[in-house]
Amino acid sequence: MAHIIVVGNEKGGSGKSTTSMHVATALARMGHRVGGLDLDVRQRSFGRYLENRAAFVKREGLDLPIPVIGQLGQGNDPLTPALTELDASCDFILLDCPGSHTQLSQMAHTVADTLLTPMNDSFVDFDLLARLTPEGRVLGPSIYAEMVWAARQMRAEAGAGPIDWLVLRNRLGTQAMHNKRKVGGALATLSKRIGFRVAPGFSERVIFRELFPRGLTLLDLKDIGTEQLSMSNIAARQELRDLINELKLPGVEVSF
C-alpha cells in the first residue's frame, strides 16, 4: 500500500501548502510515484499549486515531474474512494489539510502513516499543541494534540501501524532570540510528553510566494534557466534536503 503523508495543523498561515508542494515534488523528482489530495475544499491552495504547475509545464514545453492530482469522492466518505484510486498507482500519497477542524481533516489523520505539522515559531501556534502557564510551564495537550491522540487510538484499535508525528518549525528567526529559545524548550518538553519529533522547517523567504503562480519549487530553478542560485536559494534547498532526510520515509534516499 502507498505510504500516506498528512500535512495538518488547525491554523492557517503556517506553511502547509508550501510544505506539501515541496515534499511531494521532491519525492517525485527522486523517482517515486506521488499522488496529492487537497482537503481544503474552499481555498484549495495545494490543488491550485499543482494545477499551476501542470499549466506552466504545458505552456513552456518543459518536462518536470508532477504529482498526480487526486479527486475527492461523493457522499459521507469522500476520502476513501480517492485514496483507493491513488493507491493503485502511487508509492506515496500526500494529503494537505485545511487550517481548521473539519470531518475530512479528522478522517485524514486516522489514515496517516506520517503526520507533518508545520507551525510558525511562536507561542501563538504552540497553543494549538499545548496549554501553557504564563511562566511557560506545559499544563497539558490542547485541541489539535488531542485530535491526533484520538486518531492514534483509532488506528491502534483497527490494528494499523503507529503515526510518525513530526512538528515542523517554520519561519525560524535568523538570530537566537529569547522567544525562539523558549519555544524550542517548550517543544522539546512537550515532544516527550505527547509523542512527536521536532524537525527544522523553512525560513521566511520571498521566493516561496513568487514560485506559486507557476507551480514551481526550489528544485525547479535550474530547469527554468536560473544559472546562478542565490545564497538564499541554496540555503532553502538545504532546508528541504534536511526535511526530507528527517521524515525517514521508507525507501527514500535524498538525491538532490
Side-chain angles (χ1 to χ4, degrees):
M1 295 179 64
H3 187 94
I4 297 178
I5 304 167
V6 173
V7 181
N9 181 345
E10 292 181 13
K11 182 179 181 301
S14 61
K16 289 189 299 295
S17 297
T18 298
T19 300
S20 296
M21 188 63 180
H22 278 77
V23 170
T25 305
L27 291 172
R29 273 190 165 274
M30 291 185 287
H32 301 284
R33 300 172 301 168
V34 183
L37 275 171
D38 192 338
L39 305 188
D40 189 342
V41 295
R42 286 180 60 84
Q43 189 167 342
R44 293 192 68 252
S45 295
F46 180 45
R48 289 284 299 143
Y49 211 141
L50 289 170
E51 291 166 0
N52 289 347
R53 184 178 184 83
F56 180 78
V57 164
K58 182 178 180 180
R59 184 169 64 249
E60 300 296 324
L62 297 173
D63 183 21
L64 299 179
I66 304 176
V68 177
I69 307 174
Q71 301 297 325
L72 292 170
Q74 303 294 323
N76 294 329
D77 180 8
L79 183 58
T80 299
L83 290 176
T84 300
E85 183 174 356
L86 288 173
D87 184 69
S89 60
C90 293
D91 304 311
F92 296 95
I93 303 173
L94 191 144
L95 313 182
D96 185 29
C97 294
S100 60
H101 180 77
T102 66
Q103 183 179 3
L104 198 54
S105 177
Q106 189 170 350
M107 292 170 64
H109 282 70
T110 65
V111 300
D113 298 305
T114 297
L115 172 60
L116 187 55
T117 300
M119 61 169 280
N120 295 331
D121 206 52
S122 74
F123 282 111
V124 174
D125 279 28
F126 187 92
D127 188 63
L128 279 171
L129 299 174
R131 294 173 288 110
L132 295 176
T133 66
E135 298 76 29
R137 182 169 59 87
V138 175
L139 292 174
S142 194
I143 51 172
Y144 181 72
E146 288 176 349
M147 193 263 281
V148 175
W149 175 255
R152 282 173 157 169
Q153 286 186 310
M154 290 182 65
R155 285 176 63 87
E157 291 170 1
I163 299 174
D164 183 21
W165 185 14
L166 289 88
V167 172
L168 179 66
R169 295 180 71 184
N170 271 347
R171 295 172 181 167
L172 284 167
T174 55
Q175 299 176 350
M177 297 175 291
H178 179 62
N179 185 70
K180 177 182 172 182
R181 290 195 299 271
K182 288 185 67 176
V183 172
L187 279 173
T189 300
L190 187 63
S191 67
K192 299 182 181 69
R193 188 165 173 175
I194 64 176
F196 60 79
R197 297 190 287 126
V198 181
F202 298 115
S203 301
E204 178 69 26
R205 302 182 193 277
V206 175
I207 190 170
F208 288 126
R209 294 188 289 273
E210 295 176 343
L211 292 171
F212 174 79
R214 294 175 291 172
L216 298 176
T217 70
L218 296 164
L219 303 181
D220 302 315
L221 296 179
K222 289 189 176 180
D223 292 317
I224 62 171
T226 305
E227 298 292 336
Q228 186 85 24
L229 296 180
S230 69
M231 291 302 296
S232 176
N233 294 345
I234 293 171
R237 283 173 63 95
Q238 184 60 50
E239 289 173 351
L240 178 58
R241 190 178 294 114
D242 291 342
L243 172 58
I244 299 298
N245 268 320
E246 192 62 33
L247 288 176
K248 296 179 171 57
L249 297 171
V252 173
E253 293 186 10
V254 177
S255 57
F256 60 85

